[in-house]
Amino acid sequence: MEAPPSDSAARFTGKVHEFPWRDDFSAARNESFSHATMDYRMWLDADDVLLEEDRKAFLALKETLDPAVSVVMAPYHAGFDESGPVPHVRI
């Protein structure tokens, strides 16, 4: 087997799954969730940005989150405009 391209997800993990594109982002996301093996699942779109301060806050939340909590929604940044990161909230 030849080595993956340097920009491939396989650089970071051996757990890369194929999913034929069906013009449905939620189907692709749900398929990826079906392969999750840990307690938390998080997704980012290609234009989402996880700022360093938000990464630290997320890691702190994981340490203190009540296991009874099933969903956490938080502001996130989808790309940048001329004034900086563009905040959004997923619902």
Side-chain angles (χ1 to χ4, degrees):
M1 180 175 179
E2 68 183 67
S6 62
D7 62 345
S8 167
R11 288 187 316 157
F12 303 100
T13 180
K15 298 177 182 180
V16 176
H17 303 276
E18 296 287 331
F19 181 76
W21 180 244
R22 297 190 292 224
D23 203 25
D24 184 344
F25 285 104
S26 63
R29 181 182 58 244
N30 292 339
E31 173 67 15
S32 72
F33 283 178
S34 77
H35 296 283
T37 59
M38 304 300 281
D39 293 334
Y40 299 98
R41 292 160 182 89
M42 177 180 172
W43 82 91
L44 297 173
D45 293 331
D47 60 348
D48 293 345
V49 178
L50 186 60
L51 300 176
E52 181 62 20
E53 64 202 51
D54 297 330
R55 185 187 72 81
K56 290 177 182 175
F58 177 70
L59 292 173
L61 174 67
K62 284 177 48 179
E63 296 297 321
T64 60
L65 189 63
D66 182 328
V69 174
S70 60
V71 174
V72 174
M73 290 188 292
Y76 72 104
H77 303 280
F80 291 85
D81 65 15
E82 59 280 348
S83 62
V86 179
H88 293 274
V89 175
R90 278 202 169 108
I91 47 176

